[in-house]
Amino acid sequence: MKFFKLTVIILFALIIGAALSYQKIISDILIPQYVDWAYETERKGSESGIPLNSRELALAADIGIQKPEKVRIVHVEEVPFPFENFALKTLGEALGFIGEGITNNAQAFGYSIYVRNGYELNRPKLAHELVHVLQIERSSLDQVITQHFSDIAEFGYDKAPLEVEALKQINSMQLIGN
């Protein structure tokens, strides 16, 4: 009976320790893995993507992107995510990035904007993604990823500050409905 009680106490302590250290695991292990993958995804997009046309370049400049000529649009069957990494897949599902019933239509990785085939990247939607490019340009891809993951965990996707900023930007440019 003592062995059983000791085992339960140890198991309980391990569960509490894991629960208390999950943020450290995410920030010290998972986020750096995702950042490395995201930089590689950006590199691939810069090599294979299509440059912005003159109208899109003007929109990017209006948004404030310093190097709009570097932006590339990459059309794909599915917006990439590191599904092969079980821990990142689990984190993505927990944050609502991926999972059953979730379709990611477009996502910026640095200057590369990945767009799912069949998704209409109209002017407001492109502007939204370009704001994310601007956010990355202002700081760095790794800083934006770290902030965005933390914000989504705290506020949810729609209320995450980077998403709110993107929506405010396109609203201020009066692009909604265009």
Side-chain angles (χ1 to χ4, degrees), residues 82-107:
F83 294 100
E84 67 283 350
N85 182 317
F86 178 76
L88 289 177
K89 181 178 182 266
T90 302
L91 178 62
E93 290 169 342
L95 293 175
F97 286 149
I98 58 170
E100 192 166 330
I102 297 171
T103 302
N104 187 354
N105 290 310
Q107 186 171 344

Side-chain angles (χ1 to χ4, degrees), residues 2-156:
K2 286 183 180 182
F3 176 74
F4 178 74
K5 285 182 181 179
L6 181 61
T7 303
V8 169
I9 290 170
I10 290 172
L11 184 59
F12 186 70
L14 287 173
I15 290 170
I16 289 174
L20 294 175
S21 66
Y22 81 95
Q23 287 181 328
K24 185 152 181 63
I25 292 168
I26 291 171
S27 64
D28 291 352
I29 298 170
L30 297 181
I31 298 294
Q33 289 177 18
Y34 185 87
V35 166
D36 289 345
W37 172 85
Y39 273 110
E40 178 62 16
T41 302
E42 177 188 24
R43 184 194 64 73
K44 289 176 182 175
S46 69
E47 292 174 358
S48 65
I50 301 164
L52 300 178
N53 64 35
S54 59
R55 187 168 182 227
E56 294 165 338
L57 282 167
L59 176 60
D62 287 347
I63 286 172
I65 295 174
Q66 297 299 306
K67 299 177 182 174
E69 70 282 354
K70 290 181 72 173
V71 177
R72 297 291 184 268
I73 305 294
V74 185
H75 294 277
V76 291
E77 287 300 316
E78 182 177 47
V79 173
F81 190 87
F83 294 100
E84 67 283 350
N85 182 317
F86 178 76
L88 289 177
K89 181 178 182 266
T90 302
L91 178 62
E93 290 169 342
L95 293 175
F97 286 149
I98 58 170
E100 192 166 330
I102 297 171
T103 302
N104 187 354
N105 290 310
Q107 186 171 344
F109 294 94
Y111 288 103
S112 298
I113 300 173
Y114 282 78
V115 181
R116 184 181 56 78
N117 289 336
Y119 180 71
E120 181 190 353
L121 192 64
N122 60 23
R123 190 169 166 82
K125 292 172 184 174
L126 175 59
H128 180 96
E129 295 307 320
L130 289 170
V131 172
H132 290 314
V133 171
L134 174 66
Q135 293 164 340
I136 294 165
E137 191 178 61
R138 283 192 310 229
S139 58
S140 68
L141 183 56
D142 49 319
Q143 288 176 343
V144 168
I145 288 169
T146 302
Q147 177 186 347
H148 204 43
F149 273 48
S150 174
D151 290 347
I152 289 172
E154 183 175 348
F155 304 109

